[in-house]
Amino acid sequence: MKKRVLLISYHFYPDRAVGAKRPTQLAKTLISEGWEVDVLTKQLDPKSKKEQVASGEYGRIIPVYQHPGLINPTWRLLKRIRNRIKNSSETESQPKTENSTDINNSLFESNVSTFRRVIFSLQSILSETKSWVALSLLYLLAFKLKGVKYDLVISSSPTDSAHFLALLAKKLFSSSWIVDIRDPLILWDEVDKETVTKFRTKFEERMEKNYYRNSDYITVTSPGLQRELIDKKSVPSSNIKTIYNGYDGRALEPTFSDSLPIKFVFAGNLYFKRNPVPLFEAVKRLKRIGVFDSSSINIDFYGDCNSWNGIDLEKWVEKNNIEDIINFKGFVEPQELESLLCKYHVLLNFSQFQPKQIPAKTFDYLRYPGEMLVIAESGSDTERLVTENQLGVVAAPDVDSISAVLETIIEQGGDTERKAKKVQMKRDEFARENQNRIFAEIAMRLVS
């Protein structure tokens, strides 16, 4: 008799979010291993919903509607009311002394600041994902009333709301439970300070402890996150394992030339802490002192790369006279991008200030023949993975380090093809299907 698993993930096929890949391909692997798979996920647009329901490749997908939430529209309404009151007070004809105006403004701003912090904190707790949780809970209760049984529940985050649902599902169905964590559940350093209250802090940290304590096994995507959960969260080392994201599809053959220029590429979005400016500064320096010019190096950016944290990168490049080396290509279709990336000698990967997270791009790039150049701090999980497995080279995120690595790559020139073949020998281990087989073995062990 087939074992039955309930997979709970906010992102899932055909969602284009990066976070959808891991649970989607995991479901496919579990089905190939003989599991019956039900997937509880968020409902997308009507067209995508039809794809979700019609597709049998990834199991029985149950898309659940999510309301936009109560706090977001309420906060927008309050902002409009606030602006009207402020504008009205400014147009009043009744004269006020300068001191009374300053005092009133100060009190007003203080009250607004406090109110903002409370609203934003509530917004994180009563967001649209929580409406998805509430409606998903109704589905779980309906399954229970119908006598549905699950041998195993798997929850994959972000968002951590998936784990809240899985905690309830474990108790409803008396199932084993695997918590799959792609990113740390709580990153207070990366949260807007205005959204952090004592209530929110206590609530989220208490829930995190509940997830770890009630789960039967935990899977994570990086060794650093595994070490943190063992050392700081008291997770038994026997109940946790690192399973990398891996790459999908077959490894591709090179179509680049070994003659100059050496062609670099970045494909994706420059968001969060993926700061390209130190790279640009290094290119500017090396061009100025005559190490290279556009005849020996080209760097192309595909995707949402025209700006970073408010900096217009195209203008920056033009102002610093390196527009002949650095080019912004915009968006291309995935199929076209796949063939394009095979033409590049060096694949750029930005992973600054993420010591316990390995960008999915690190694995996606392993499909392609070029050498990977990662910009990351020494000792980070990404740096260790790339260095220890000889998957590419790593430069610290400062101008001197990046300059040194660029010089070395240019000096080696035509050696790129030999390196590509060497890296190719390491790739199979990191194919997602191989990583997912490890996951499937853990799942079967829990229910046997």
Side-chain angles (χ1 to χ4, degrees):
M1 185 176 179
K2 282 188 174 182
K3 298 293 184 181
R4 193 169 190 180
V5 59
L6 175 64
L7 175 58
I8 304 175
S9 178
Y10 186 71
H11 299 291
F12 198 81
Y13 171 88
D15 195 336
R16 290 191 174 185
V18 173
K21 288 184 177 181
R22 183 176 174 96
T24 299
Q25 294 303 317
L26 174 59
K28 190 174 180 179
T29 298
L30 290 172
I31 291 170
S32 71
E33 295 287 330
W35 288 79
E36 185 178 345
V37 178
D38 288 353
V39 181
L40 199 63
T41 186
K42 72 170 178 176
Q43 179 178 306
L44 303 173
D45 57 84
K47 181 181 177 182
S48 298
K49 182 183 177 182
K50 288 182 180 179
E51 288 184 54
Q52 287 177 315
V53 174
S55 174
E57 186 179 5
Y58 306 108
R60 184 171 73 107
I61 301 177
I62 307 155
V64 179
Y65 170 77
Q66 65 171 13
H67 187 273
L70 298 175
I71 297 300
N72 286 334
T74 303
W75 178 242
R76 285 195 292 269
L77 174 63
L78 290 172
K79 283 176 72 175
R80 286 199 296 270
I81 294 172
R82 173 199 172 192
N83 289 334
R84 285 188 179 184
I85 293 173
K86 198 172 182 180
N87 292 336
S88 174
S89 66
E90 289 174 354
T91 57
E92 285 180 353
S93 58
Q94 183 178 354
K96 295 182 180 179
T97 66
E98 184 176 347
N99 288 338
S100 67
T101 301
D102 290 343
I103 291 171
N104 287 336
N105 286 341
S106 177
L107 288 172
F108 179 78
E109 292 300 328
S110 175
N111 289 332
V112 167
S113 178
T114 301
F115 191 59
R116 276 169 60 89
R117 188 168 61 254
V118 172
I119 287 292
F120 286 160
S121 183
L122 285 172
Q123 185 171 298
S124 69
I125 296 174
L126 302 177
S127 63
E128 63 273 12
T129 59
K130 304 308 184 293
S131 69
W132 172 71
V133 167
L135 291 174
S136 296
L137 178 57
L138 295 179
Y139 276 84
L140 294 179
L141 292 172
F143 295 162
K144 178 66 175 178
L145 290 174
K146 288 180 179 180
V148 175
K149 295 183 179 181
Y150 290 106
D151 301 285
L152 178 66
V153 175
I154 300 172
S155 53
S156 186
S157 65
T159 71
D160 56 354
S161 298
H163 303 313
F164 179 77
L165 276 173
L167 175 61
L168 299 176
K170 174 186 171 68
K171 296 182 183 298
L172 278 173
F173 303 110
S174 301
S175 309
S176 298
W177 175 25
I178 298 177
V179 172
D180 181 47
I181 303 174
R182 301 195 295 273
D183 295 318
L185 294 186
I186 298 177
L187 290 168
W188 293 124
D189 292 341
E190 298 173 8
V191 174
D192 188 339
K193 300 301 180 186
E194 285 191 320
T195 71
V196 180
T197 63
K198 289 182 179 178
F199 170 75
R200 180 185 175 187
T201 303
K202 288 181 179 179
F203 177 82
E204 294 198 14
E205 290 181 352
R206 187 185 309 120
M207 291 310 301
E208 183 186 24
K209 290 179 182 177
N210 281 333
Y211 301 149
Y212 300 149
R213 185 170 60 249
N214 287 279
S215 65
D216 296 283
Y217 207 89
I218 298 172
T219 56
V220 295
T221 56
S222 72
L225 185 51
Q226 177 174 330
R227 288 191 298 271
E228 179 177 283
L229 295 189
I230 293 171
D231 296 341
K232 297 182 180 180
K233 306 295 182 179
S234 302
V235 172
S237 58
S238 57
N239 286 5
I240 186 170
K241 188 173 183 63
T242 296
I243 299 179
Y244 295 111
N245 277 316
Y247 67 87
D248 299 307
R250 61 183 178 83
L252 301 171
E253 294 299 318
T255 57
F256 51 67
S257 167
D258 280 334
S259 59
L260 293 176
I262 300 296
K263 298 172 70 175
F264 291 65
V265 66
F266 173 83
N269 300 328
L270 291 173
Y271 60 85
F272 194 41
K273 296 177 180 178
R274 295 179 178 178
N275 181 6
V277 176
L279 171 67
F280 294 175
E281 291 280 8
V283 171
K284 174 185 172 183
R285 173 196 290 180
L286 295 175
K287 180 184 177 182
R288 187 182 67 247
I289 63 177
V291 172
F292 55 60
D293 57 24
S294 59
S295 67
S296 53
I297 180 173
N298 290 154
I299 304 177
D300 294 339
F301 284 80
Y302 291 92
D304 187 7
C305 302
N306 298 74
S307 64
W308 177 81
N309 280 11
I311 301 172
D312 188 321
L313 296 178
E314 286 192 275
K315 288 184 178 179
W316 194 103
V317 164
E318 186 176 352
K319 180 180 178 181
N320 288 276
N321 195 32
I322 53 174
E323 73 275 11
D324 57 333
I325 294 176
I326 296 176
N327 310 286
F328 297 92
K329 301 288 190 177
F331 292 90
V332 297
E333 290 299 318
Q335 295 84 356
E336 182 183 357
L337 182 63
E338 183 174 288
S339 62
L340 280 172
L341 291 182
C342 293
K343 298 178 180 180
Y344 287 88
H345 305 91
V346 182
L347 309 169
L348 288 169
N349 187 8
F350 299 95
S351 183
Q352 302 101 308
F353 308 109
Q354 295 178 283
K356 296 184 290 292
Q357 295 159 275
I358 302 175
K361 189 174 300 299
T362 309
F363 300 102
D364 292 341
Y365 275 166
L366 292 181
R367 289 190 66 206
Y368 300 96
E371 180 180 24
M372 196 185 322
L373 168 54
V374 181
I375 298 176
E377 291 79 10
S378 176
S380 69
D381 276 353
T382 305
E383 185 270 337
R384 286 175 177 168
L385 176 75
V386 172
T387 303
E388 291 173 5
N389 293 281
Q390 300 178 343
L391 300 175
V393 293
V394 180
D398 62 81
V399 178
D400 291 340
S401 299
I402 297 172
S403 297
V405 171
L406 290 179
E407 280 194 78
T408 300
I409 291 174
I410 295 299
E411 287 171 3
Q412 292 174 343
D415 201 31
T416 309
E417 187 173 0
R418 183 189 63 80
K419 288 186 175 182
K421 290 178 179 177
K422 186 176 181 182
V423 170
Q424 192 166 353
M425 296 170 64
K426 296 277 186 178
R427 285 178 176 160
D428 287 349
E429 178 185 348
F430 299 102
R432 196 190 300 271
E433 61 180 352
N434 291 334
Q435 293 294 312
N436 281 344
R437 285 196 188 98
I438 300 172
F439 205 122
E441 290 171 4
I442 294 169
M444 186 57 70
R445 191 165 67 240
L446 285 177
V447 300
S448 297

